[in-house]
Amino acid sequence: MATLDSYVLMALVVIPFVGGLALAFFPGESRRAIRGFSALVGLVVFALTIYVFLRYDSDLGGYQFIREYGWLDSLGVAFSLGVDGISVPMVLLTGIVLFTGVLISWNIQVRTKDFFVLYLLLVAGVFGVFVSLDLFFFFFFYELAVLPMYILIGVWGSSTDFGTFNRPKEYGAMKLMLFLTAGSVLVWVAILAVYVESGLGTFSLLALEDVTFSDGFQRVFFPLFMVGFGVLAGLWPFHTWSPDGHVAAPTAVSMVHAGVLMKLGAYGIIRVGLDLLPGGAQDWMPLLLGMATVNVVYGAISAMGQTDLKYMIGYSSVSHMGYVLMGFATLNSVGMGGAVLQMFSHGIMTALMFAAVGALYDRAHVRDIGVLEGLTKRMPVVAIFFVLAGLTSIGLPGLSGFVAEVMVFLGVFQDYPVVGILAVVGAGITAVYILRMLAKVFFGTITPRWEHLTDATRVEGFAMGVLLLFLLVVGLYPRPWMDLINSGVAPLLERVVGL
Amino acid sequence: MNYLLFLPELALAALAFGVLVIDLFLPRERKGYLPWVSLVGLAGVLALSLRYLWGKDTNLYGGLFLVDSFSLFFKAFFLVMGGLVVLSSMEYVKRHLSHPGEYYGILLLSILAMMLMTSSGELLTAYISLELLSFSLYVLVSFARGDPKSNEAGLKYILLGAFASALLLYGISHVYGMLGTTGFTEISAALLLEETPLNPAVLLGLALIVAGLGFKMAAAPFHMWAPDVYEGAPTPVTAYLAVGVKAAVFALVLRLFSQAFMPAIEEWQVILAILAALTMTVGNLVAIAQSNIKRMLAYSSIGQVGYLLMGVAALSPMASDGVMLHLLGYGISNLAAFLGVILYYNVTGKENIADYAGLADRSPFLAMAMSVALFSLAGLPFFAGFTTKFYLFTAAAEGGFLWLVGLAITNSLISLYYYLIVIKQMYMVPASDKSALKVSLIGGGVLGVLVLGIFLVGVYPAPLVDAIQGATGAILP
């Protein structure tokens, strides 16, 4: 297995990328072959991510599976790869969502080939970010993960008609693209500043980690990372692209986007921001905590006011990402560990929710909560998954959301009891809107309009089952996950505490 | 004296006149041979350049004409780019222009001018080659004789171009008057002896030279001519202006500022930085409002000049590498974008952005290639634009211009917006005419090669950077 160990991270980036390119040469009309091939790529990559997860040694900790390939010496750029206890769960999350996303997109009819090509390229970019240990490539893949979104949303997405006004999908696509690139403007400037200030002439994260930047420098440039990556993480007040983008996107893209892409932003804040500028992080974390609290409460209140199912989930993502950022801001091991677990848990949960909504919307062609009623009769499978995803989101014990959120709460209460209360209030509001929506849409008497609806197909059911499996596994036996995550969080905190 | 070092220029001059003469004897239906003659000739000149100039570092005529790896790099660049422009022109010239002999002959002459420019080691030689280039371009811009827009463009270009040349010449006279020489290395030596702050007359000369060259490269506030000229000129000529001529002017600027004016860097650095800031902002902001794709690309290329100028302001070996690398990355991307415009115009005769609606359905290849080119111009990864911009911006940040780099990155974001508008038309707006578009074989092939080049530079730039570092070594040891 030694050879597999040295190439597995490379393979995670290369296989979806090459798979996507190879797919471009398939004849456009053979849809079965196209989706079969995509599912195969998804399955192989999924298997590899499970391998990385099982093979990573939490007792040893640190970066593992390290490889380095020279790329551009004169600029100090090397393609260096490695994962630690924080990135391994993210890699697994990406594998799960990639595979289930392909299955959920089984019935894409329009330009099937182009869809899967772009989808695989998108996922290659996401893997690239999670495994890169070089700032150039980190940023390279970070941008790459945003690039296909525009076309994916614009071509395969759906517009929302609110009666009085219309939100065309092109609007959602453009807004998302501009917000995210605006965030990366800040990130890019900060990366170059770090490069110049270090005087090392290298973009290697491992080398830059050893540099202690001056207090003034850290204080000026940490906010650039915080806000720049924060845009993608849905940080209030830069979150407005996220509901619009998620709603306009086709199901699988919403899954990847809310499930994985938003985690890229959160991941960037700690992997680059906190890791390189721990002093700056310490100075600015109270502000981040404040913004994240607004995320939690305001996101939940906004979700409560939505009439469109997807918008509700979109705002609920904003609210849940608030817990992640809040956990980071505590700068203690319980809170941060909970935050990383929340990234994983929320990724799976929101993917499951979007998958269920997608299955529903494909059949009903409506997402208006006011109109949908009593669907359990006709769609029992979709209903079960939706209800379980909803319960995870509320934080029902036995499901992964509970563990993650409780840890974040504990972490926050240690230093900021007031914020802790607000965080719990946010969870309460979440329970209100989720339960109210579930009751309205799935229970009660069915209206004749929905009598013709059919349930999820076997493929869709399988995909949602895979997602649910992970929610249960983490919820029932979180210990190995926490060991893994803590092995990644501990060295980061040492850097902060060591100041 | 070793005349072999001058052979490529002589051969190219012979080729240019050869094409003009052959044209006289070709019957009308055989005029199609001319571009092929030019292509074979260009390939021959490239072979001669590589054969006789490789690894040489010397000069002719007492320092008037320099032979070094810097000039060889740009000569190869111009020859290859010239070949691509000839290939892109073939169908366009056949369909829309008369007198192909003059078209290709003058095009070759202008390439000769660019080659002389990169080799010139003193101000007057540079000036004369720049004039040869400009005069060739005046003719090429107004080549569509029946088209009033082309005529207007030619007139504007010649009037403003002459003005710019006058400024440049006046600046040269000041520098000569104060320092007593026009040779680059002699100027540098003289500047070292000058006490600081510099004599205002020398400064005035410098400013005038910057203004004159600023006109030629279309830097704000000297860019007013560019959009009209770009829109009016036959599209292959526009592509040539946007890629070739800019590269030639920057080659001259790089050599001039590093070999001649380097001792006074404190004096001109700020001027160039301000010009760069202005140029990138004006170019990108005004590009948003354009409805004609050629005009949009014109403003976008003004924006790109801003990035390149930023690299010159932060002049260092690394910055010079960055400028050359980005010239190349921007060059192939822009050439691909213009070739897409040419191919679309050849079939449909339209060049407004709205006319591109539904192109993804009508010709998936053309839409894909243009998207790649535009994404690359916007600086998105996997494409040349990202890598070359990243290099250039890093170099500028190293040179102490982090604020300017921040502005440049913000401008990249603005540029993404107007490129996305074109992509939205191609992929999301349905076409009114749904018939499939047939792209010509040669045009499509060249476009495919350019797209591959965009990927290659984006993903594996190391060999190119090595070559560029060798070239920079000749001007900035």
Side-chain angles (χ1 to χ4, degrees):
Chain A
M1 301 307 252
T3 39
L4 182 55
D5 278 1
S6 34
Y7 294 106
V8 65
L9 295 185
M10 186 74 170
L12 286 180
V13 182
V14 169
I15 292 177
F17 183 67
V18 172
L21 288 188
L23 208 53
F25 294 97
F26 277 51
E29 48 298 347
S30 52
R31 282 187 35 233
R32 291 171 64 90
I34 288 166
R35 66 194 189 188
F37 181 75
S38 311
L40 180 70
V41 172
L43 186 64
V44 170
V45 173
F46 182 31
L48 287 176
T49 58
I50 293 180
Y51 175 80
V52 170
F53 176 75
L54 295 177
R55 184 89 176 154
Y56 182 87
D57 185 349
S58 336
D59 297 332
L60 210 61
Y63 292 108
Q64 295 178 18
F65 303 101
I66 291 183
R67 287 288 288 187
E68 186 165 309
Y69 305 88
W71 192 71
L72 196 56
D73 294 340
S74 48
L75 201 59
V77 177
F79 188 31
S80 61
L81 308 162
V83 283
D84 70 350
I86 297 173
S87 34
V88 168
M90 295 301 110
V91 165
L92 179 62
L93 169 68
T94 314
I96 299 168
V97 175
L98 158 67
F99 178 58
T100 53
V102 172
L103 297 184
I104 288 293
S105 319
W106 214 239
N107 290 320
I108 292 257
Q109 305 285 347
V110 191
R111 294 197 214 157
T112 314
K113 181 175 84 172
D114 303 0
F115 177 84
F116 282 111
V117 170
L118 289 170
Y119 181 71
L120 290 176
L121 293 184
L122 168 72
V123 173
V126 174
F127 273 122
V129 176
F130 286 135
V131 303
S132 289
L133 291 183
D134 183 278
L135 283 180
F136 175 87
F137 277 101
F138 186 95
F139 187 66
F140 181 97
F141 287 118
Y142 185 82
E143 290 271 274
L144 184 66
V146 175
L147 166 71
M149 295 299 291
Y150 184 71
I151 299 177
L152 278 170
I153 296 178
V155 175
W156 292 275
S158 56
S159 309
T160 312
D161 188 1
F162 283 102
T164 45
F165 66 103
N166 189 32
R167 275 272 185 271
K169 54 190 182 183
E170 291 84 2
Y171 169 87
M174 184 65 94
K175 187 167 179 181
L176 176 143
M177 198 74 183
L178 292 182
F179 262 75
L180 298 191
T181 342
S184 36
V185 168
L186 301 181
V187 171
W188 196 350
V189 171
I191 288 179
L192 290 182
V194 165
Y195 175 88
V196 173
E197 180 78 8
S198 77
L200 295 178
T202 175
F203 283 101
S204 156
L205 201 59
L206 297 179
L208 291 170
E209 258 180 13
D210 296 333
V211 182
T212 311
F213 295 96
S214 73
D215 285 349
F217 181 82
Q218 300 211 21
R219 203 164 296 140
V220 172
F221 286 97
F222 182 77
L224 265 60
F225 283 128
M226 186 175 94
V227 173
F229 285 123
V231 173
L232 184 52
L235 176 67
W236 178 87
F238 313 105
H239 67 285
T240 59
W241 60 272
S242 128
D244 284 326
H246 291 155
V247 172
T251 305
V253 176
S254 306
M255 287 168 65
V256 171
H257 204 250
V260 184
L261 234 66
M262 287 179 89
K263 278 57 186 188
L264 286 188
Y267 178 78
I269 293 182
I270 47 174
R271 168 62 73 242
V272 179
L274 185 61
D275 194 28
L276 293 181
L277 308 173
Q282 207 168 28
D283 292 344
W284 286 96
M285 275 312 176
L287 178 67
L288 181 65
L289 187 72
M291 290 161 93
T293 314
V294 179
N295 258 68
V296 168
V297 178
Y298 173 79
I301 293 175
S302 307
M304 198 153 64
Q306 299 305 315
T307 54
D308 183 295
L309 258 182
K310 253 184 150 178
Y311 264 103
M312 171 180 280
I313 306 178
Y315 277 106
S316 130
S317 282
V318 172
S319 168
H320 280 87
M321 285 307 290
Y323 290 125
V324 173
L325 299 172
M326 210 179 235
F328 290 162
T330 62
L331 287 180
N332 61 45
S333 70
V334 185
M336 281 192 64
V340 176
L341 189 63
Q342 169 77 348
M343 282 160 75
F344 182 81
S345 158
H346 174 255
I348 306 275
M349 176 199 92
T350 204
L352 182 54
M353 273 197 167
F354 276 117
V357 172
L360 198 162
Y361 179 66
D362 277 349
R363 292 166 177 83
H365 305 290
V366 169
R367 294 186 306 246
D368 192 340
I369 301 174
V371 184
L372 296 162
E373 212 155 11
L375 295 185
T376 317
K377 287 240 168 49
R378 290 281 160 262
M379 319 180 89
V381 176
V382 173
I384 289 172
F385 286 119
F386 209 127
V387 168
L388 283 168
L391 293 178
T392 313
S393 146
I394 297 171
L396 189 79
L399 292 160
S400 59
F402 173 74
V403 189
E405 283 178 23
V406 164
M407 287 184 66
V408 172
F409 294 158
L410 289 177
V412 175
F413 269 113
Q414 279 185 15
D415 296 315
Y416 311 92
V418 179
V419 176
I421 292 168
L422 286 173
V424 177
V425 168
I429 303 175
T430 308
V432 172
Y433 70 78
I434 293 279
L435 291 177
R436 209 174 59 174
M437 177 271 291
L438 290 176
K440 174 77 181 61
V441 172
F442 289 104
F443 301 105
T445 41
I446 189 163
T447 37
R449 183 174 171 192
W450 310 121
E451 289 287 357
H452 71 282
L453 292 185
T454 53
D455 206 355
T457 61
R458 229 175 266 164
V459 178
E460 285 168 340
F462 175 70
M464 292 193 270
V466 172
L467 291 166
L468 182 65
L469 179 72
F470 281 93
L471 291 183
L472 286 169
V473 168
V474 178
L476 293 174
Y477 188 49
R479 178 74 190 280
W481 303 81
M482 285 326 299
D483 288 345
L484 172 66
I485 289 169
N486 283 333
S487 77
V489 167
L492 267 184
L493 284 174
E494 268 165 39
R495 295 175 58 76
V496 181
V497 176
L499 288 170
Chain B
M1 208 160 80
N2 185 358
Y3 285 101
L4 281 177
L5 299 176
F6 203 49
L7 191 61
E9 277 79 5
L10 290 174
L12 187 54
L15 176 67
F17 289 110
V19 166
L20 287 171
V21 172
I22 293 171
D23 177 48
L24 297 176
F25 298 98
L26 276 183
R28 188 169 291 275
E29 62 278 7
R30 299 232 179 102
K31 301 277 194 200
Y33 293 162
L34 290 167
W36 295 109
V37 173
S38 316
L39 272 179
V40 173
L42 283 172
V45 176
L46 180 63
L48 283 178
S49 312
L50 293 176
R51 167 73 183 80
Y52 291 110
L53 308 183
W54 187 274
K56 295 280 192 316
D57 187 10
T58 174
N59 65 71
L60 299 175
Y61 308 108
L64 288 190
F65 185 86
L66 307 175
V67 181
D68 53 18
S69 51
F70 182 80
S71 59
L72 177 60
F73 175 84
F74 273 104
K75 280 174 192 176
F77 177 65
F78 296 144
L79 289 167
V80 172
M81 197 254 337
L84 289 171
V85 170
V86 169
L87 280 168
S88 319
S89 308
M90 264 184 222
E91 203 191 342
Y92 190 96
V93 172
K94 208 190 296 173
R95 283 181 189 236
H96 307 287
L97 302 177
S98 49
H99 305 287
E102 281 82 352
Y103 179 88
Y104 292 110
I106 294 173
L107 187 68
L108 293 172
L109 268 185
S110 68
I111 297 174
L112 169 67
M114 299 199 291
M115 287 174 64
L116 289 170
M117 238 164 103
T118 58
S119 269
S120 47
E122 60 96 43
L123 287 168
L124 282 177
T125 315
Y127 173 76
I128 291 169
S129 359
L130 188 59
E131 283 304 275
L132 177 57
L133 177 61
S134 300
F135 276 86
S136 315
L137 291 173
Y138 300 149
V139 181
L140 285 175
V141 164
S142 42
F143 217 83
R145 280 194 311 175
D147 179 1
K149 263 186 176 174
S150 174
N151 286 313
E152 183 196 325
L155 191 60
K156 268 194 181 139
Y157 195 28
I158 198 168
L159 287 177
L160 289 169
F163 182 61
S165 299
L167 284 183
L168 183 61
L169 206 52
Y170 191 42
I172 291 174
S173 70
H174 269 273
V175 170
Y176 176 72
M178 298 314 297
L179 303 176
T181 174
T182 56
F184 291 170
T185 40
E186 290 82 359
I187 289 177
S188 173
L191 278 176
L192 277 175
L193 296 178
E194 289 275 313
E195 68 239 38
T196 45
L198 269 188
N199 186 324
V202 181
L203 267 186
L204 179 64
L206 240 167
L208 287 169
I209 289 176
V210 168
L213 291 174
F215 259 108
K216 301 285 178 188
M217 66 169 79
F222 317 111
H223 66 288
M224 304 298 184
W225 58 272
D228 290 336
V229 171
Y230 278 38
E231 186 187 349
T235 316
V237 176
T238 310
Y240 184 60
L241 277 174
V243 178
V245 177
K246 287 216 159 99
V249 176
F250 269 100
L252 177 62
V253 166
L254 276 179
R255 190 191 280 286
L256 189 61
F257 282 88
S258 52
Q259 286 193 323
F261 298 140
M262 198 60 168
I265 184 163
E266 305 280 327
E267 317 276 345
W268 48 260
Q269 197 164 36
V270 187
I271 305 178
L272 287 191
I274 292 169
L275 274 186
L278 201 62
T279 306
M280 60 177 84
T281 312
V282 168
N284 283 312
L285 282 181
V286 183
I288 296 176
Q290 304 309 316
S291 59
N292 178 298
I293 197 158
K294 280 163 80 180
R295 262 186 111 78
M296 187 273 273
L297 286 171
Y299 278 107
S300 110
S301 77
I302 293 173
Q304 302 278 352
V305 167
Y307 308 146
L308 293 162
L309 264 180
M310 172 176 77
V312 181
L315 196 57
S316 69
M318 190 180 180
S320 160
D321 296 343
V323 170
M324 282 194 257
L325 189 62
H326 189 57
L327 267 177
L328 249 156
Y330 151 79
I332 51 173
S333 312
N334 217 13
L335 213 52
F338 272 114
L339 183 52
V341 174
I342 294 172
L343 293 178
Y344 192 71
Y345 183 77
N346 281 343
V347 187
T348 64
K350 292 176 178 163
E351 51 183 32
N352 277 330
I353 294 175
D355 299 330
Y356 283 75
L359 184 62
D361 289 325
R362 302 183 65 190
S363 169
F365 170 73
L366 194 55
M368 183 275 293
M370 284 195 70
S371 307
V372 167
L374 295 177
F375 276 141
S376 175
L377 285 173
L380 289 175
F382 258 109
F383 308 123
F386 177 80
T387 308
T388 58
K389 252 188 199 171
F390 200 101
Y391 201 113
L392 178 62
F393 290 1
T394 308
E398 277 280 87
F401 285 100
L402 192 64
W403 64 272
L404 195 51
V405 171
L407 185 67
I409 297 175
T410 312
N411 269 299
S412 296
L413 167 67
I414 298 173
S415 73
L416 179 63
Y417 173 72
Y418 57 77
Y419 295 131
L420 281 181
I421 290 178
V422 181
I423 289 168
K424 177 171 139 188
Q425 288 291 334
M426 296 194 296
Y427 280 89
M428 292 163 210
V429 180
S432 48
D433 166 18
K434 296 219 184 296
S435 59
L437 270 183
K438 197 92 186 94
V439 173
S440 72
L441 196 65
I442 297 175
V446 176
L447 190 54
V449 170
L450 285 169
V451 166
L452 281 182
I454 290 175
F455 276 111
L456 195 66
V457 175
V459 177
Y460 188 55
L464 199 58
V465 172
D466 285 344
I468 286 173
Q469 283 182 323
T472 291
I475 55 164
L476 281 168

